[in-house]
Amino acid sequence: MVEDEEDLVDALRVGLVRAGYAVDVAYDAPSAHEKLQVNTYDLALLDLNLPGGDGFQLCRTVRAAGKGVRIIMVTARDRLDDRVRGLDEGADDYLVKPFAFPELLARVRALLRRDAGGGTSVIEVGGLRIDTARLEVSLDGRSLALTPKEYGVLHYLMTRPGHVVSSEELLEHVWDEHTDPFTSTVRVTVGNLRRKLQEEGLIETVISRGYRLKEPT
């Protein structure tokens, strides 16, 4: 999230974390540029009027660097030419302040579904089912109560069934930048998730490489 209004940042971060997302924050253009160059993000919420720079330029720089991050411009600038310019500079979406938080969440889900190849808010892999709009998870019709991080890990694995996902990749996409890279939190979270799934072998450990969600046969 690239935004200099601290009250808005605090409110949005709380809502996004409750929805299962990991959130890094930059309050000005230079720090945003550094984070976007160093880290791999799924999506960026980008304000236009920023200390130390301009959101249009930041978007253009990110696109020129070949970064595949999805970008939603979130700004009070509601003129038609600003909206057109934002999309032409490489933004995937443009949302005008003030906005309703559920609408922002819906736009975030829609863009992330595009990357995952899904057409609806529901992801199904075998008997596993996640409704990303309602934050509901079930296995063979049995409802599962997951923590936000357990939900985030499962969601990430379900969008890549059969693929090996490293602990480092999970840390990068499910936890924020302040997480210790040497922590055992991924292993512990996966262990707790397995116990709640109660189905042996559904999440496989690939030694020295990471974890893989078993594809349905």
Side-chain angles (χ1 to χ4, degrees), residues 190-213:
V190 171
N192 291 336
L193 183 55
R194 282 172 167 153
R195 282 192 288 274
K196 291 182 179 182
L197 291 172
Q198 297 179 3
E199 186 167 322
E200 188 175 349
L202 189 57
I203 298 177
E204 303 171 309
T205 297
V206 182
I207 296 174
S208 300
R209 293 180 61 196
Y211 304 95
R212 176 170 53 203
L213 182 69

PDB file of all heavy atoms in Angstrom, residues 190-213:
ATOM      1  N   VAL A 190       1.799 -24.561   8.637  1.00  0.00           N
ATOM      2  CA  VAL A 190       1.440 -25.707   7.798  1.00  0.00           C
ATOM      3  C   VAL A 190       1.047 -26.899   8.669  1.00  0.00           C
ATOM      4  O   VAL A 190       0.083 -27.609   8.377  1.00  0.00           O
ATOM      5  CB  VAL A 190       2.589 -26.074   6.843  1.00  0.00           C
ATOM      6  CG1 VAL A 190       2.300 -27.405   6.136  1.00  0.00           C
ATOM      7  CG2 VAL A 190       2.796 -24.972   5.805  1.00  0.00           C
ATOM      8  N   GLY A 191       1.769 -27.111   9.765  1.00  0.00           N
ATOM      9  CA  GLY A 191       1.432 -28.205  10.670  1.00  0.00           C
ATOM     10  C   GLY A 191       0.041 -28.050  11.269  1.00  0.00           C
ATOM     11  O   GLY A 191      -0.740 -29.013  11.328  1.00  0.00           O
ATOM     12  N   ASN A 192      -0.288 -26.840  11.701  1.00  0.00           N
ATOM     13  CA  ASN A 192      -1.622 -26.585  12.249  1.00  0.00           C
ATOM     14  C   ASN A 192      -2.699 -26.761  11.182  1.00  0.00           C
ATOM     15  O   ASN A 192      -3.786 -27.289  11.459  1.00  0.00           O
ATOM     16  CB  ASN A 192      -1.687 -25.169  12.822  1.00  0.00           C
ATOM     17  CG  ASN A 192      -0.831 -25.003  14.069  1.00  0.00           C
ATOM     18  OD1 ASN A 192      -0.540 -25.975  14.761  1.00  0.00           O
ATOM     19  ND2 ASN A 192      -0.418 -23.774  14.343  1.00  0.00           N
ATOM     20  N   LEU A 193      -2.396 -26.315   9.972  1.00  0.00           N
ATOM     21  CA  LEU A 193      -3.345 -26.451   8.875  1.00  0.00           C
ATOM     22  C   LEU A 193      -3.612 -27.913   8.561  1.00  0.00           C
ATOM     23  O   LEU A 193      -4.758 -28.323   8.348  1.00  0.00           O
ATOM     24  CB  LEU A 193      -2.794 -25.727   7.643  1.00  0.00           C
ATOM     25  CG  LEU A 193      -3.661 -25.678   6.384  1.00  0.00           C
ATOM     26  CD1 LEU A 193      -5.029 -25.094   6.672  1.00  0.00           C
ATOM     27  CD2 LEU A 193      -2.948 -24.875   5.298  1.00  0.00           C
ATOM     28  N   ARG A 194      -2.579 -28.726   8.560  1.00  0.00           N
ATOM     29  CA  ARG A 194      -2.751 -30.164   8.306  1.00  0.00           C
ATOM     30  C   ARG A 194      -3.660 -30.800   9.356  1.00  0.00           C
ATOM     31  O   ARG A 194      -4.504 -31.640   9.033  1.00  0.00           O
ATOM     32  CB  ARG A 194      -1.384 -30.854   8.307  1.00  0.00           C
ATOM     33  CG  ARG A 194      -0.586 -30.667   7.026  1.00  0.00           C
ATOM     34  CD  ARG A 194       0.807 -31.218   7.195  1.00  0.00           C
ATOM     35  NE  ARG A 194       1.508 -31.332   5.929  1.00  0.00           N
ATOM     36  CZ  ARG A 194       2.820 -31.276   5.804  1.00  0.00           C
ATOM     37  NH1 ARG A 194       3.584 -31.109   6.889  1.00  0.00           N
ATOM     38  NH2 ARG A 194       3.384 -31.393   4.628  1.00  0.00           N
ATOM     39  N   ARG A 195      -3.460 -30.413  10.616  1.00  0.00           N
ATOM     40  CA  ARG A 195      -4.295 -31.001  11.677  1.00  0.00           C
ATOM     41  C   ARG A 195      -5.766 -30.633  11.480  1.00  0.00           C
ATOM     42  O   ARG A 195      -6.654 -31.451  11.714  1.00  0.00           O
ATOM     43  CB  ARG A 195      -3.799 -30.531  13.043  1.00  0.00           C
ATOM     44  CG  ARG A 195      -2.550 -31.254  13.518  1.00  0.00           C
ATOM     45  CD  ARG A 195      -2.251 -30.969  14.976  1.00  0.00           C
ATOM     46  NE  ARG A 195      -1.758 -29.616  15.165  1.00  0.00           N
ATOM     47  CZ  ARG A 195      -0.487 -29.267  15.038  1.00  0.00           C
ATOM     48  NH1 ARG A 195       0.417 -30.169  14.706  1.00  0.00           N
ATOM     49  NH2 ARG A 195      -0.110 -28.020  15.235  1.00  0.00           N
ATOM     50  N   LYS A 196      -6.029 -29.417  11.030  1.00  0.00           N
ATOM     51  CA  LYS A 196      -7.412 -28.999  10.822  1.00  0.00           C
ATOM     52  C   LYS A 196      -8.024 -29.662   9.590  1.00  0.00           C
ATOM     53  O   LYS A 196      -9.232 -29.937   9.555  1.00  0.00           O
ATOM     54  CB  LYS A 196      -7.490 -27.479  10.704  1.00  0.00           C
ATOM     55  CG  LYS A 196      -7.189 -26.763  12.020  1.00  0.00           C
ATOM     56  CD  LYS A 196      -7.327 -25.260  11.909  1.00  0.00           C
ATOM     57  CE  LYS A 196      -7.056 -24.581  13.248  1.00  0.00           C
ATOM     58  NZ  LYS A 196      -7.213 -23.110  13.205  1.00  0.00           N
ATOM     59  N   LEU A 197      -7.204 -29.924   8.587  1.00  0.00           N
ATOM     60  CA  LEU A 197      -7.714 -30.599   7.390  1.00  0.00           C
ATOM     61  C   LEU A 197      -8.053 -32.056   7.691  1.00  0.00           C
ATOM     62  O   LEU A 197      -8.970 -32.627   7.079  1.00  0.00           O
ATOM     63  CB  LEU A 197      -6.674 -30.535   6.272  1.00  0.00           C
ATOM     64  CG  LEU A 197      -6.413 -29.150   5.664  1.00  0.00           C
ATOM     65  CD1 LEU A 197      -5.228 -29.203   4.714  1.00  0.00           C
ATOM     66  CD2 LEU A 197      -7.655 -28.641   4.935  1.00  0.00           C
ATOM     67  N   GLN A 198      -7.305 -32.669   8.592  1.00  0.00           N
ATOM     68  CA  GLN A 198      -7.541 -34.060   8.999  1.00  0.00           C
ATOM     69  C   GLN A 198      -7.514 -35.016   7.814  1.00  0.00           C
ATOM     70  O   GLN A 198      -8.253 -36.000   7.776  1.00  0.00           O
ATOM     71  CB  GLN A 198      -8.889 -34.188   9.740  1.00  0.00           C
ATOM     72  CG  GLN A 198      -8.959 -33.403  11.026  1.00  0.00           C
ATOM     73  CD  GLN A 198     -10.299 -33.517  11.715  1.00  0.00           C
ATOM     74  OE1 GLN A 198     -11.188 -34.248  11.260  1.00  0.00           O
ATOM     75  NE2 GLN A 198     -10.482 -32.809  12.813  1.00  0.00           N
ATOM     76  N   GLU A 199      -6.668 -34.729   6.850  1.00  0.00           N
ATOM     77  CA  GLU A 199      -6.540 -35.616   5.692  1.00  0.00           C
ATOM     78  C   GLU A 199      -5.060 -35.747   5.373  1.00  0.00           C
ATOM     79  O   GLU A 199      -4.434 -34.833   4.826  1.00  0.00           O
ATOM     80  CB  GLU A 199      -7.302 -35.082   4.481  1.00  0.00           C
ATOM     81  CG  GLU A 199      -7.305 -36.065   3.310  1.00  0.00           C
ATOM     82  CD  GLU A 199      -8.306 -35.693   2.238  1.00  0.00           C
ATOM     83  OE1 GLU A 199      -9.405 -35.218   2.588  1.00  0.00           O
ATOM     84  OE2 GLU A 199      -7.986 -35.881   1.059  1.00  0.00           O
ATOM     85  N   GLU A 200      -4.506 -36.898   5.694  1.00  0.00           N
ATOM     86  CA  GLU A 200      -3.071 -37.127   5.545  1.00  0.00           C
ATOM     87  C   GLU A 200      -2.654 -37.060   4.069  1.00  0.00           C
ATOM     88  O   GLU A 200      -3.307 -37.620   3.192  1.00  0.00           O
ATOM     89  CB  GLU A 200      -2.707 -38.493   6.126  1.00  0.00           C
ATOM     90  CG  GLU A 200      -1.217 -38.764   6.194  1.00  0.00           C
ATOM     91  CD  GLU A 200      -0.903 -40.078   6.887  1.00  0.00           C
ATOM     92  OE1 GLU A 200      -1.812 -40.670   7.483  1.00  0.00           O
ATOM     93  OE2 GLU A 200       0.266 -40.495   6.811  1.00  0.00           O
ATOM     94  N   GLY A 201      -1.563 -36.374   3.823  1.00  0.00           N
ATOM     95  CA  GLY A 201      -1.014 -36.323   2.477  1.00  0.00           C
ATOM     96  C   GLY A 201      -1.602 -35.257   1.580  1.00  0.00           C
ATOM     97  O   GLY A 201      -1.158 -35.089   0.448  1.00  0.00           O
ATOM     98  N   LEU A 202      -2.609 -34.521   2.060  1.00  0.00           N
ATOM     99  CA  LEU A 202      -3.214 -33.485   1.220  1.00  0.00           C
ATOM    100  C   LEU A 202      -2.219 -32.356   0.952  1.00  0.00           C
ATOM    101  O   LEU A 202      -2.124 -31.844  -0.167  1.00  0.00           O
ATOM    102  CB  LEU A 202      -4.480 -32.936   1.883  1.00  0.00           C
ATOM    103  CG  LEU A 202      -5.339 -31.996   1.040  1.00  0.00           C
ATOM    104  CD1 LEU A 202      -5.779 -32.660  -0.256  1.00  0.00           C
ATOM    105  CD2 LEU A 202      -6.564 -31.540   1.825  1.00  0.00           C
ATOM    106  N   ILE A 203      -1.471 -31.965   1.997  1.00  0.00           N
ATOM    107  CA  ILE A 203      -0.366 -31.032   1.822  1.00  0.00           C
ATOM    108  C   ILE A 203       0.918 -31.819   2.018  1.00  0.00           C
ATOM    109  O   ILE A 203       1.212 -32.299   3.110  1.00  0.00           O
ATOM    110  CB  ILE A 203      -0.436 -29.860   2.812  1.00  0.00           C
ATOM    111  CG1 ILE A 203      -1.716 -29.045   2.600  1.00  0.00           C
ATOM    112  CG2 ILE A 203       0.779 -28.951   2.647  1.00  0.00           C
ATOM    113  CD1 ILE A 203      -1.890 -27.911   3.580  1.00  0.00           C
ATOM    114  N   GLU A 204       1.672 -31.993   0.947  1.00  0.00           N
ATOM    115  CA  GLU A 204       2.882 -32.798   0.983  1.00  0.00           C
ATOM    116  C   GLU A 204       4.103 -31.924   1.268  1.00  0.00           C
ATOM    117  O   GLU A 204       4.180 -30.784   0.808  1.00  0.00           O
ATOM    118  CB  GLU A 204       3.085 -33.492  -0.370  1.00  0.00           C
ATOM    119  CG  GLU A 204       1.908 -34.363  -0.801  1.00  0.00           C
ATOM    120  CD  GLU A 204       2.056 -34.845  -2.231  1.00  0.00           C
ATOM    121  OE1 GLU A 204       2.304 -34.007  -3.127  1.00  0.00           O
ATOM    122  OE2 GLU A 204       1.936 -36.070  -2.439  1.00  0.00           O
ATOM    123  N   THR A 205       5.043 -32.473   2.018  1.00  0.00           N
ATOM    124  CA  THR A 205       6.338 -31.831   2.200  1.00  0.00           C
ATOM    125  C   THR A 205       7.306 -32.394   1.182  1.00  0.00           C
ATOM    126  O   THR A 205       7.486 -33.613   1.097  1.00  0.00           O
ATOM    127  CB  THR A 205       6.882 -32.079   3.618  1.00  0.00           C
ATOM    128  OG1 THR A 205       6.003 -31.488   4.581  1.00  0.00           O
ATOM    129  CG2 THR A 205       8.266 -31.459   3.774  1.00  0.00           C
ATOM    130  N   VAL A 206       7.894 -31.515   0.390  1.00  0.00           N
ATOM    131  CA  VAL A 206       8.921 -31.912  -0.571  1.00  0.00           C
ATOM    132  C   VAL A 206      10.256 -31.516   0.048  1.00  0.00           C
ATOM    133  O   VAL A 206      10.564 -30.324   0.168  1.00  0.00           O
ATOM    134  CB  VAL A 206       8.713 -31.231  -1.937  1.00  0.00           C
ATOM    135  CG1 VAL A 206       9.777 -31.694  -2.927  1.00  0.00           C
ATOM    136  CG2 VAL A 206       7.320 -31.521  -2.472  1.00  0.00           C
ATOM    137  N   ILE A 207      11.018 -32.491   0.470  1.00  0.00           N
ATOM    138  CA  ILE A 207      12.217 -32.254   1.266  1.00  0.00           C
ATOM    139  C   ILE A 207      13.164 -31.280   0.566  1.00  0.00           C
ATOM    140  O   ILE A 207      13.460 -31.420  -0.625  1.00  0.00           O
ATOM    141  CB  ILE A 207      12.935 -33.586   1.562  1.00  0.00           C
ATOM    142  CG1 ILE A 207      12.026 -34.477   2.425  1.00  0.00           C
ATOM    143  CG2 ILE A 207      14.265 -33.343   2.290  1.00  0.00           C
ATOM    144  CD1 ILE A 207      12.571 -35.859   2.668  1.00  0.00           C
ATOM    145  N   SER A 208      13.600 -30.287   1.332  1.00  0.00           N
ATOM    146  CA  SER A 208      14.544 -29.245   0.893  1.00  0.00           C
ATOM    147  C   SER A 208      13.963 -28.296  -0.146  1.00  0.00           C
ATOM    148  O   SER A 208      14.675 -27.427  -0.655  1.00  0.00           O
ATOM    149  CB  SER A 208      15.839 -29.868   0.339  1.00  0.00           C
ATOM    150  OG  SER A 208      16.478 -30.649   1.322  1.00  0.00           O
ATOM    151  N   ARG A 209      12.679 -28.452  -0.475  1.00  0.00           N
ATOM    152  CA  ARG A 209      12.101 -27.582  -1.505  1.00  0.00           C
ATOM    153  C   ARG A 209      10.886 -26.807  -1.027  1.00  0.00           C
ATOM    154  O   ARG A 209      10.700 -25.649  -1.376  1.00  0.00           O
ATOM    155  CB  ARG A 209      11.737 -28.402  -2.750  1.00  0.00           C
ATOM    156  CG  ARG A 209      12.948 -28.979  -3.476  1.00  0.00           C
ATOM    157  CD  ARG A 209      12.520 -29.764  -4.690  1.00  0.00           C
ATOM    158  NE  ARG A 209      11.810 -28.924  -5.646  1.00  0.00           N
ATOM    159  CZ  ARG A 209      11.063 -29.420  -6.647  1.00  0.00           C
ATOM    160  NH1 ARG A 209      10.923 -30.727  -6.800  1.00  0.00           N
ATOM    161  NH2 ARG A 209      10.455 -28.598  -7.476  1.00  0.00           N
ATOM    162  N   GLY A 210      10.003 -27.453  -0.241  1.00  0.00           N
ATOM    163  CA  GLY A 210       8.829 -26.728   0.229  1.00  0.00           C
ATOM    164  C   GLY A 210       7.619 -27.625   0.380  1.00  0.00           C
ATOM    165  O   GLY A 210       7.727 -28.770   0.827  1.00  0.00           O
ATOM    166  N   TYR A 211       6.461 -27.091  -0.035  1.00  0.00           N
ATOM    167  CA  TYR A 211       5.189 -27.780   0.168  1.00  0.00           C
ATOM    168  C   TYR A 211       4.402 -27.817  -1.143  1.00  0.00           C
ATOM    169  O   TYR A 211       4.542 -26.957  -2.014  1.00  0.00           O
ATOM    170  CB  TYR A 211       4.363 -27.074   1.247  1.00  0.00           C
ATOM    171  CG  TYR A 211       5.085 -26.935   2.556  1.00  0.00           C
ATOM    172  CD1 TYR A 211       5.782 -25.767   2.878  1.00  0.00           C
ATOM    173  CD2 TYR A 211       5.116 -27.981   3.470  1.00  0.00           C
ATOM    174  CE1 TYR A 211       6.469 -25.648   4.061  1.00  0.00           C
ATOM    175  CE2 TYR A 211       5.804 -27.859   4.676  1.00  0.00           C
ATOM    176  CZ  TYR A 211       6.474 -26.687   4.964  1.00  0.00           C
ATOM    177  OH  TYR A 211       7.154 -26.581   6.140  1.00  0.00           O
ATOM    178  N   ARG A 212       3.553 -28.844  -1.248  1.00  0.00           N
ATOM    179  CA  ARG A 212       2.756 -29.005  -2.457  1.00  0.00           C
ATOM    180  C   ARG A 212       1.366 -29.497  -2.078  1.00  0.00           C
ATOM    181  O   ARG A 212       1.213 -30.425  -1.287  1.00  0.00           O
ATOM    182  CB  ARG A 212       3.426 -30.004  -3.396  1.00  0.00           C
ATOM    183  CG  ARG A 212       2.630 -30.336  -4.653  1.00  0.00           C
ATOM    184  CD  ARG A 212       3.482 -31.142  -5.627  1.00  0.00           C
ATOM    185  NE  ARG A 212       4.056 -32.318  -5.000  1.00  0.00           N
ATOM    186  CZ  ARG A 212       5.149 -32.941  -5.436  1.00  0.00           C
ATOM    187  NH1 ARG A 212       5.795 -32.480  -6.494  1.00  0.00           N
ATOM    188  NH2 ARG A 212       5.617 -34.030  -4.817  1.00  0.00           N
ATOM    189  N   LEU A 213       0.338 -28.846  -2.628  1.00  0.00           N
ATOM    190  CA  LEU A 213      -1.034 -29.295  -2.435  1.00  0.00           C
ATOM    191  C   LEU A 213      -1.310 -30.411  -3.445  1.00  0.00           C
ATOM    192  O   LEU A 213      -1.128 -30.222  -4.654  1.00  0.00           O
ATOM    193  CB  LEU A 213      -2.015 -28.148  -2.626  1.00  0.00           C
ATOM    194  CG  LEU A 213      -3.492 -28.492  -2.392  1.00  0.00           C
ATOM    195  CD1 LEU A 213      -3.748 -28.763  -0.912  1.00  0.00           C
ATOM    196  CD2 LEU A 213      -4.389 -27.374  -2.884  1.00  0.00           C
TER     197      LEU A 213
END
